[in-house]
Amino acid sequence: MTSWSATETGVLAGAAARAPSVHHSRPWALEPGDGVVDLVERPDAGPPLHDPTGRDRMISCGAALANLELAVQALGYRPASALFPEPARPGLVARVRTDGRRDATAREVERYSAIFRRRSYRAPFSLHPVPAGALRSLVDAAGAPGAGLRVVHGLAEFTTLADLFGTAAKTLREDRAYQRELVAWTGRFPERFEEVSTPPWTGLVTGRTTVPDRITLTERLRAETMAVLVTEGDTRADHLRAGMALQRGWLAAITDGLAGSVLTQPLRLPEVRAGLVERLRLSGYPQLILRFGYPVTATPATPVAALARPGEG
């Protein structure tokens, strides 16, 4: 292959554009070449106080990379990705090249299609429990060298989340610089935010956010299926892998009829990250928290008994 056609370039750009990103900022740019497409970080994207280390920005780039790989597969090529391929150019976070022709599998086509159905679902979920098979499928899809999902189980662990989320919400609510930046950013891009004054476990914390008491928050969290995405290290490459794992798991969840959303803001506080590691006994670094379930307007399309079979990654 010598170059991408205009149609193929559009497919790649369209898939990347639908990746989840910090505050909908899309902190990347694509540079198509001869049989390759480079994913380049845009460090000026997104409000700096909400992402002081750039971790969320790199996670966003990882999600875009996962979409790019699926788009290359959907176009009939085998993708081969290299992370940070040019040390002298740190802003080049990934290069995806074609490695020969190959028809996409049914699963790849299904997950590519899910790219365009993915939405952040911030409302409470329905009472339909997530079947074991769908949960395994999500966890398997998000599993990769150096990254994986740790599902939250039991009253003690949900109480831990409630304690840490409550601490984070109160801290961010009182952080005046943070709140000024949030107001400025949401005012600049009002169409990107459905509702900023959302509960602390589903969205951004504003100066008007009411934080529930510990018991109430614990019970609300226990009504959801939640998992912590953990990486072995805490480098930019680890953050990129976390984004890839997030998107692969999220797309797998969508194909099983689930909806979800991602929490990263509480993890900007070092004490919250440390608390998760200690109290949940995590084996690595928490990068984000994923909540998922069935939307209130939908019921599982497949009988629970059928969904309970072991899922494939």
Side-chain angles (χ1 to χ4, degrees):
M1 178 178 181
T2 57
S3 61
W4 302 104
S5 69
T7 298
E8 290 173 329
T9 300
V11 168
L12 297 173
R18 296 305 298 264
S21 61
V22 54
H23 301 317
H24 306 275
S25 58
R26 297 177 184 170
W28 60 75
L30 300 186
E31 296 180 358
D34 290 342
V36 304
V37 57
D38 287 347
L39 182 69
V40 181
E41 177 189 18
R42 291 175 49 229
D44 59 335
L49 287 180
H50 280 244
D51 186 25
T53 65
R55 181 173 67 244
D56 287 354
R57 187 169 63 243
M58 197 52 48
I59 290 173
S60 303
C61 288
L65 176 56
N67 280 10
L68 276 179
E69 291 181 339
L70 279 172
V72 171
Q73 291 169 338
L75 289 170
Y77 300 100
R78 181 184 297 107
S81 299
L83 308 187
F84 302 100
E86 297 182 13
R89 190 184 173 195
L92 175 57
V93 299
R95 174 168 290 153
V96 184
R97 63 179 179 85
T98 58
D99 188 21
R101 282 280 186 178
R102 184 188 68 108
D103 290 338
T105 66
R107 173 173 295 174
E108 290 165 351
V109 171
E110 187 177 35
R111 291 185 179 175
Y112 170 75
S113 174
I115 289 173
F116 304 95
R117 305 197 307 274
R118 187 205 61 79
R119 300 286 188 280
S120 289
Y121 184 88
R122 310 236 178 243
F125 296 113
S126 77
L127 298 180
H128 295 284
V130 176
L135 181 57
R136 284 195 295 271
S137 179
L138 186 155
V139 171
D140 289 347
L149 277 181
R150 160 67 157 80
V151 179
V152 178
H153 294 290
L155 175 60
E157 293 194 349
F158 279 106
T159 300
T160 290
L161 284 189
D163 289 343
L164 296 174
F165 284 2
T167 296
K170 292 171 184 175
T171 301
L172 296 176
R173 188 177 60 186
E174 301 304 319
D175 188 330
R176 294 185 179 180
Y178 177 95
Q179 291 300 327
R180 283 196 300 268
E181 185 180 67
L182 176 61
V183 170
W185 184 259
T186 54
R188 182 182 174 193
F189 302 106
E191 72 283 358
R192 296 182 179 178
F193 297 87
E194 298 173 2
E195 173 59 59
V196 224
S197 184
T198 51
W201 64 96
T202 61
L204 300 179
V205 175
T206 73
R208 302 183 305 276
T209 297
T210 300
V211 183
D213 63 76
R214 184 192 198 200
I215 295 176
T216 301
L217 183 50
T218 299
E219 289 306 306
R220 290 179 181 177
L221 293 175
R222 289 183 69 193
E224 306 192 345
T225 300
M226 307 192 76
V228 184
L229 200 150
V230 179
T231 57
E232 291 181 357
D234 201 26
T235 67
R236 278 164 54 86
D238 292 300
H239 303 158
L240 190 66
R241 293 187 186 97
M244 297 173 70
L246 159 69
Q247 183 67 349
R248 289 168 179 166
W250 202 340
L251 296 178
I254 291 171
T255 63
D256 277 330
L258 299 173
S261 62
V262 175
L263 301 163
T264 61
Q265 285 301 296
L267 300 184
R268 73 181 292 268
L269 301 179
E271 60 270 31
V272 172
R273 293 187 86 198
L276 283 173
V277 172
E278 178 183 358
R279 296 174 64 179
L280 297 187
R281 299 183 179 179
L282 301 179
S283 58
Y285 295 84
Q287 304 297 351
L288 55 88
I289 297 169
L290 177 63
R291 58 183 290 271
F292 50 91
Y294 291 104
V296 292
T297 55
T299 57
T302 306
V304 169
L307 282 174
R309 67 183 184 276
E312 298 179 79

